[in-house]
Amino acid sequence: MRYEALHFALRNRKLVAGTVVILVFLVAGLAGPLMFDHGPNDYVGPPMAAPSGEFWFGTTTFGQDVFAQFLYGLRATFLVGVLGGVLAAAVGMVVGFVAGYRGGWVDELLTMLTNIVLVLPALVVLLIVNAYLGVRSIGVQALFIGLTSWPWAARAIRAQTFSLRSRDFVDLARLSGVRTPRIILREIAPNMSSYLFLTFILLFGSAILIAASLDFIGLGPTEGVSLGLMLNNAARWSALQLGLWWWFIPPGAGITAIVGALYVMNVGLDEVFNPKLREM
Amino acid sequence: MLKLDGVSKVYRVGAFGGRELKAVSDVSFEVGEGEVVSLIGESGSGKSTLGRMILRLASVSGGTITLDGRDITSIKDRKEYYRQVQGVFQDPFSCYNPVFRADRVFAMIKEQYFPRAGADEWRKRVEGALESVRLDPGNVLGKYPHQLSGGQLQRMLIARAVLLDIRLLVADEIISMLDASTRIDVLNLLADLRARGLGILFVTHDLSLGNYVSDRTVVLRHGKIVEMGRTDLVFGSPAHPYTRSLLASVPRLHAKWTDAEMTDAVEDVPCAYHEAPQESRTRPGLAEIDSDHYVACADKEKA
Amino acid sequence: MALNVTDLRVYYRTLRGEVKALDGVTFSVADGEIMGLAGESGSGKSTLAKSLIRLDGRMRHVGGTVELDGAAMPLSDDDAMDEFRFRKVSLIPQYSMSALNPTRKIGRMVGELLDSRGERPDRAELERRLELVGLSKDVLDRYPIELSGGMKQRVVMVVSTLLNPSLLIADEVTSALDVSSQKAVATTLLGFRDRGLVTSMMVVTHDISLVYQIADSIMVMYAGRLAEKAPADVLVTAPRHPYTQQLVSALPEVGVRYEDRRLAGIPGSPPSLLKPPGGCRFRDRCPLAFDQCAEQPPFAEVAPGHLVACWKAE
Amino acid sequence: GGGSSTPTGPAGDGAAGGGAAAPAGGSGGAFPRNETLYTSGTQWGPPANWNPLREWDFATGTKGLVYETLFMYDPNTDKFTPWLAESGDWTGELEYTLKLRKGITWSDGKPFTADDVIFTFELGKMETVPYHPLWDWMKSAEKVDDYTIKFTFATANYQEWANHLYSRAIVPKHLWEGRSEDEVMNGVNEKPVGTGPYAYQSHDQDRMVWVKRDGWWATKALNKDVKPKYIVDIVNSSNEVAMGLLLQKGLDLSNNFLPGIANLVKGSFGIKTYYDQPPYMLPANTTWMWFNTAKKPMDDKEFRKAVAYAIDTKKIVEGVYGNLVKASDPSGLLPQWDKYVDKNVTSALGFSYNPDKAKQLLADAGYKDRNGDGLVESPSGAKISLKLIVPAGWTDWMEAARVISSSAKAAGIDIEADFPDYNALVDVRNQGKFDLVLNNDKQLANTPWLYYDYLFRLPVQKLQSTTNFGRYENKRAWELTQQLDQVKPEDVEGMKKITSELQKIQLGDMPVVPLWYNGLWSQTTDSTWKNWPTSAADAPKYPPTVWRNWLEMGGTLMLTELQPASGG
Amino acid sequence: MRRYFGRKLLIYGLTFFVAVTINWMIPRFMPGDPVQSMLSRANVAQPAAVEAMRAHYTAMFGFDLPLWQQYLNFWGALLRGDLGISIWLFPTPVSDVIIRAVPYTLGLLIPSILLSWFAGNRFGAFAARRKWLDNTVLPVGYVLTATPYMWLAILLAWALGIVAGVFPVAGAYGFDLQPSLSWGFVGSLAEHWFLPFASLFLVAFGGWAIGMRNMIIYELEADYVNYLRALGAPARLVRRYAFRNAILPQVTGLALQLGVLVAGALVTEIVFSYPGLGHLILQAIQNQDFFLLQGTFLFIVIGVLIANFVIDVAYVLVDPRTRTGMGEAA
Ligand SMILES: Nc1ncnc2c1ncn2[C@@H]1O[C@H](COP(=O)(O)OP(=O)(O)OP(=O)(O)O)[C@@H](O)[C@H]1O
Ligand SMILES: Nc1ncnc2c1ncn2[C@@H]1O[C@H](COP(=O)(O)OP(=O)(O)OP(=O)(O)O)[C@@H](O)[C@H]1O
Ligand SMILES: [Mg+2]
Ligand SMILES: [Mg+2]
Ligand code: NI
């Protein structure tokens, strides 16, 4: 069964393409910055230079290397995505598992909480909280994204847990004297691993998008670079009007490519895990 | 050994538990050592619910369940209880976590009950248990559930229960998902276990199977007992119209349904309850019409 | 002859190769015949049933022909098959509980279905048939969710037979039911045939005792092939194939008790259909197996209407 | 964008709302392009009030286009021009007599008289009116006749008074009389009635429209006329938008900071700035870096000096601003105040970017790098790690702060740029809980006294909300500042004597570091209106801006010099 | 049914309560004093004057009361529809500021949400049954959903606005116009509206198309589809049923996505300087106008809640399963 999944995984064009794109960007983000002996914000070149052999993506109004910013920015983007995604997935899982497994009033309560957070427009809440708190680091940004984007994941996981909870092997584990947290962890979660993974991918993608929006509005981290901040800076320094397309195209394209690849990967994985879809 | 006394179960359904659903009401019977009691009834009659209450997978809403006179809810240590009482369920495939190897059910027992047992010693025990359910250990160990047949899986579950030296087994429709050719093997196995002194609560909706293995039979309908007693009496001279109609519906190999049976005319026959003497109504709502043969009133149910 | 199946082969495409789920079956069902199709799990019963109505995406029609009322059915041509479906061959699925579109009222759905097949919906006839299965006509104004499981099943039965098909296939329609409902469904099926709403019927089940109650003949499959076909009484009382014999003897009957007569199962398990062994597929489990069994025995008629695939069956 | 690229409305459709709301002559509610002046860069939010006392948030133009001041002041020439006043003179040590121009009427037709002026000044007796402190040293404003007023003072703060003379918008007594303090300060004043050349026409979230009013007094009295019939002041949403509009000639005058504009000025986009080469703009204010002198090691003037030497201002000017600004004089005084700069003092004590000197100063004062991290520790061995705060979102300053941080580090001083939100920054700044902060609150004005007041004002209070953020305590400097206030503006020599002293103290103690002059951001296009102020010989020299509080410093006069580009 | 709505209303009520409380709490427990920063902007010279003004405004905004009193007052004012006075646009009441911006935001949101939803679902269902469409056009859908709203907006603004000069990129109508019922004005409105609308529409469209495509594929596997197929029902009918059933989860999806879409609109407005709520929020943030921020936030929350409720009602109307399900069990 495992091998079968792998077999399909390797043959699924969507999954492979998505994964390749993600890996390329990941490697670029991890290894790329080592190419430079200057920081992403250093004034290293002539201002407003178009892409050239020396500066692949051109330079900003200050003469910063856009390519360097892009590669460093990838790091931040991945970091926010992973941290935000992991946190949201973790909260979503805890809430979803507990609500789904426990049922009863615990479920009622958690479902209520979930619904409340769900109907609150997350980005707007983030805007407000960010504005007040003056969140200024990637970590805190990821924290807030994680804390607001979990509800749909929790809902989905709850529903899944609900159906798994009544499966006999769960009862059997209970008959073996296994305790609840362990049952959730060892019996239920592994059965949803593909689902959890899919959830995480989606949360990962949405965390990146939310972070980019926050950065763009100027509520992003003030130090360092991220793709969203690059967009923000490009807009603020009139890159559009000055025709510095090389400044605002790459970061947006980078985000789109990463998130798009994640989504495509998600569909691919779905097809791998879900035999019904494979026939398509 | 196991005694149910006026057991009921109310499920709260709907939002905020707004509605009540009485799945089991006022059920009393006993399962003795080395005795097979079959629990028979149509779908939704509360059979599984009873089983789950005995297995402490569902809480008891009313009445008591006692094991050797001890209320089972007072046994704080669930492990202690499960060492004596175990269950096997209907769908052998869903009893195994599909992502793990099938023998994980044994590992779980070791982890929880025999953490100190040596690997070799444990292996021997498992093999012994498997052989007692007539499985070739080499054939089944180390495989994934989907690589095994339903019969094999079902027998492994019984082996798992056997590992614990249990005294009571709740077998909830354990053969209805099996092929005709394998189900009889599992049934025979149960009978063998009984011979070793195991009490078995055999839940089924297939009357012929119940008849095949059990000593006593309890017929449930809408959560209430309509008839119970020695199997030969219940099947031989069913006293309640419901039992009769059930029996009439059973397809038999050598007799086709008669035209009379095809039209459900059996309901007209009055129940035996009223003919039983007053003093024999030892259990509430049931009349003892023969030694160890009880029946409920059909008219009262209609009302 | 209503249905003539000749050497039908249908395989499943899988990763590990082709599963030969139906590997050369030849049989026929006469007009007015109710044929029970029995056999253990995985023997290819559903595959046969599906083949006759709609191949799913992974099934491949490898060979053989099917003739219904003299017309050859283009099994592998999905569009051409539409001509046969519903009008000539129809199906009562196992999943009757979920076979109705949940967001359409039943009457409307039926109307649209008939419309789409170019048939004129006959409301009166529909109501008459509903009455036949004990349903009032106002179910037509209800959504499926408003009906109980049994009602839904009866609705499906009525819908499937609305165009009086020559062949009705009922795949495991009773497996999930308790005895009293099983009986009700079985007698309804019988009633359909008796009233001439369907010409002949193929009832797929693994419960021989049940199918015995209504079937004229019973066919037993084993590992993708036919083992035996005989009139119902004959098959139950005097089966010729060793597999059938063992199968029948393993069935407990009301009244049979463990202490009285210990029944025995069939040891061993059926072969994989991925690479089935040549010859008789029951060979490994067969107490009578001998050298000749390495060769596939023909499905030969040993008595009128009694066909067996076994060298030992004379 | 906006203006020019939108289709001109189809002619003669009569659907316009009619009445006062519809601009005369416009078809379909459109403002005829050749009669309309589009400006931007002044208003950062929808126009919300037309209350001339709310000098920080009234709709731009409320003062200058509608309400007028007694005098105009031109910072380029340092000249006062009588405006509503005909003349004004110190008629005694503590007595100032003001004569008003006759024949001026309010836009509702009522005559403008001494009562209005007295009323306006007396409004300052209300606690919350921003010029309330005037009454600390002004004794009375008395009406001599309808056009003459006599002001008497307890202390003659000549410099400050001169500032009041061109800063206070005069409001009509007949309409404002009887308004409560709350109405006066917090009232919206929807229908402003003033003496100026324009009247309120309409406004929306993203614009303020003024319409020329008939019978402006200056046309007759001074032969000055404003040319644009409409002034549409576009609310800034962002600088990019302004630049986009400017490029499409949807704007005639943009007073926005437009990064990269230098490229466009050099190109063929028809965009002009005051100078056609760096720094392109007239200077408008100085950006200062304040040390919190109440904290170690900023309490050490040697350390402060070292920091001053360590800052690479040139990199800010060129890298961050692309030469749109100019590095500041060591005194921090704007070029318009050049005459008050004692060159001897600045050449002797002035600083410039010199990392070696900075290191030298540090070493001499005992600041050494003891732990080898390349950053110095204080003489006592304590680690030095300072934060330079700049409001988040002020991108140019953020960039500048990063440059400061890196050049300071290069000299061995650990300064980190930090970007709290504006509110938080204000909090810590006012409470004195910061290390270093950038600030440019004080604008160009008639007197350098304003700058010295900003630098040296005492006593230090719990909250320092507008001046002396560094809590720098120097009694002598504060005395000199007060003395400077009491020198008559004509007495330049007298002022210079004091400013020279002050500069000595300032450069010797270095409580703040002046960094660069922010420009009087202004870019214009000639497509509809021409004759903008520029450095060219024949062009007007008024400050080319419609910024709040700058119209009375020449903005209004600029409008009178404009000419239609296409002759008519 | 009544139960169902009672429950929903309870959730909405609680959400509202939580939102209001958060909203009230944050500015009061965060660093920075709005009055101080307001005065700091006022840039009044003399410290003494500042002190007087500070006292005045602190009392005016009620910051001198005990917290619980402030909280109660907040609710009281809220229920009267009074959201306080904007600091940034002093002395305009926050509700006035919001009311002026709302038409623009709704004008963007409602068409883009509804149109993208309809078009996306149609298109997704269409693509799901054509392999070549599925393989060629759907990737575009993925790219679209993955696009950050503001980037697409920037690209459109740049390409169609600045480079091609076809569309204006700022404001809601030409700066040479005044609101009137003329063709010129309406045309100008439409012209300014188009790009922000298009960028919102496109991103959302991609999402719906993909969602629908997946839903349809699942739906085509459903038992009732198999049954219809077995009865030889033509693909047309099957698709019609599948579409109808697949659209139901998309209705719920719409409710779930609402917050995201609103957020997208905010960001898009910022790019195009479109004078709606998004623009307002940004300004309120940049100007530290807590009251305006609170008001806008509340307004959006209420809007989203109402929209959610409308969707709930709509869902009940279109899906018979919920209706009966609720009548009996739930
Ligand atoms: N967890 C539960 N919550 C609510 N109702 C339940 C629950 N479990 C069972 N029920 C209800 O209780 C009644 C009895 O169910 P039970 O499963 O005991 O029947 P059963 O006799 O085992 O039927 P079957 O033969 O179908 O297994 C049914 O009406 C069922 O719907
Ligand atoms: N989609 C599929 N892909 C691959 N193999 C399949 C598929 N469906 C069925 N098979 C295989 O085909 C063989 C016949 O299956 P089929 O479903 O016809 O059996 P059956 O007799 O109906 O069994 P049951 O009684 O369990 O329904 C089995 O070996 C099964 O594993
Ligand atoms: Mg059950
Ligand atoms: Mg089958
Ligand atoms: Ni009775």
Side-chain angles (χ1 to χ4, degrees), chain A residues 183-199:
Chain A
I183 290 181
I184 292 177
L185 220 64
R186 301 279 305 272
E187 303 292 330
I188 294 182
N191 265 288
M192 297 164 58
S193 53
S194 62
Y195 194 79
L196 295 176
F197 191 61
L198 294 180
T199 308

Side-chain angles (χ1 to χ4, degrees), chain A residues 11 16-17 29 33 40 42 50 56 61 67 72 80 83 92 128 148 156 179 188 191 200 219 222 231 261-262 268:
Chain A
R11 268 159 199 72
V16 172
D42 292 350
W56 293 3
T61 11
F67 188 55
Y72 276 97
V80 159
L83 288 183
I128 308 300
T148 46
R179 290 184 191 288
I188 294 182
N191 265 288
F200 169 70
L219 296 173
T222 35
L231 271 180
L262 283 171

Side-chain angles (χ1 to χ4, degrees), chain A residues 1-2 108 112 167-179 182 186-188 190-191 193, chain B residues 16 52 55 57 79 82 86-87 89 94-100 104-105 108 111-113 157 160:
Chain A
M1 194 170 119
R2 316 262 88 184
E108 293 282 349
M112 187 111 71
R167 292 273 283 277
D168 290 340
F169 63 81
V170 173
D171 281 339
L172 204 71
R174 286 167 75 187
L175 282 185
S176 303
V178 183
R179 290 184 191 288
R182 212 182 154 85
R186 301 279 305 272
E187 303 292 330
I188 294 182
N191 265 288
S193 53
Chain B
F16 296 106
R52 293 174 61 80
L55 288 171
L57 294 173
K79 279 196 204 170
Y82 288 143
Q86 275 293 339
F89 304 114
S94 91
C95 281
Y96 290 83
N97 202 331
V99 295
F100 299 112
R104 182 176 142 93
V105 292
M108 224 144 56
E111 211 169 81
Q112 296 292 329
Y113 291 95
L157 287 177
R160 165 188 168 280

Side-chain angles (χ1 to χ4, degrees), chain B:
Chain B
M1 176 176 58
L2 185 85
K3 185 161 191 281
L4 280 75
D5 199 0
V7 172
S8 351
K9 174 71 188 177
V10 176
Y11 282 116
R12 301 204 148 269
V13 293
F16 296 106
R19 245 164 28 92
E20 289 190 350
L21 187 139
K22 200 147 191 183
V24 171
S25 58
D26 201 19
V27 167
S28 311
F29 64 88
E30 284 160 50
V31 184
E33 314 236 339
E35 184 185 37
V36 177
V37 174
S38 55
L39 201 53
I40 289 175
E42 64 189 351
S43 182
S45 57
K47 307 182 297 290
S48 299
T49 305
L50 263 176
R52 293 174 61 80
M53 284 193 290
I54 295 169
L55 288 171
R56 298 184 64 181
L57 294 173
S59 62
V60 179
S61 314
T64 52
I65 302 176
T66 52
L67 183 71
D68 298 330
R70 263 176 89 193
D71 189 335
I72 59 166
T73 49
S74 71
I75 304 176
K76 281 282 163 291
D77 186 3
R78 278 169 182 267
K79 279 196 204 170
E80 169 63 30
Y81 182 67
Y82 288 143
R83 200 183 276 269
Q84 304 179 51
V85 179
Q86 275 293 339
V88 181
F89 304 114
Q90 174 169 19
D91 182 358
F93 297 97
S94 91
C95 281
Y96 290 83
N97 202 331
V99 295
F100 299 112
R101 287 177 212 282
D103 40 27
R104 182 176 142 93
V105 292
F106 301 128
M108 224 144 56
I109 296 284
K110 171 170 157 45
E111 211 169 81
Q112 296 292 329
Y113 291 95
F114 308 100
R116 270 183 289 280
D120 277 346
E121 178 201 339
W122 181 252
R123 196 178 170 77
K124 280 212 187 73
R125 276 190 76 148
V126 169
E127 286 175 358
L130 285 174
E131 272 151 20
S132 77
V133 297
R134 287 200 303 281
L135 279 176
D136 176 5
N139 241 343
V140 295
L141 290 181
K143 294 209 168 149
Y144 282 98
H146 68 276
Q147 297 170 316
L148 297 168
S149 77
Q152 286 171 321
L153 291 172
Q154 201 66 286
R155 273 181 279 184
M156 279 173 76
L157 287 177
I158 298 170
R160 165 188 168 280
V162 167
L163 270 178
L164 283 170
D165 308 320
I166 51 163
R167 300 169 56 211
L168 178 74
L169 182 70
V170 177
D172 188 355
E173 313 236 19
I174 62 172
I175 47 181
S176 55
M177 300 274 283
L178 300 184
D179 266 322
S181 54
T182 38
R183 65 165 63 157
I184 209 71
D185 285 340
V186 175
L187 273 187
N188 289 340
L189 174 62
L190 285 189
D192 293 347
L193 291 176
R194 175 187 67 163
R196 288 202 237 152
L198 199 66
I200 297 175
L201 183 67
F202 184 73
V203 177
T204 183
H205 63 243
D206 188 327
L207 286 83
S208 37
L209 299 177
N211 181 30
Y212 182 67
V213 290
S214 64
D215 304 301
R216 298 175 66 241
T217 297
V218 176
V219 183
L220 275 185
R221 187 189 197 191
H222 301 329
K224 292 198 193 75
I225 294 181
V226 296
E227 188 163 353
M228 73 175 188
R230 278 199 352 248
T231 300
D232 52 340
L233 293 176
V234 173
F235 281 75
S237 48
H240 195 278
Y242 177 66
T243 319
R244 269 179 246 157
S245 81
L246 268 188
L247 273 171
S249 309
V250 177
R252 294 156 204 252
L253 255 195
H254 301 286
K256 293 209 179 184
W257 289 321
T258 64
D259 284 343
E261 278 169 351
M262 294 235 175
T263 57
D264 292 330
V266 259
E267 289 282 348
D268 296 338
V269 183
C271 71
Y273 182 88
H274 301 281
E275 289 134 41
Q278 281 294 322
E279 64 270 20
S280 71
R281 292 176 192 172
T282 47
R283 299 184 180 226
L286 293 180
E288 186 164 15
I289 52 171
D290 199 342
S291 79
D292 199 12
H293 186 181
Y294 302 85
V295 66
C297 176
D299 311 334
K300 281 193 192 151
E301 280 164 20
K302 279 183 198 140

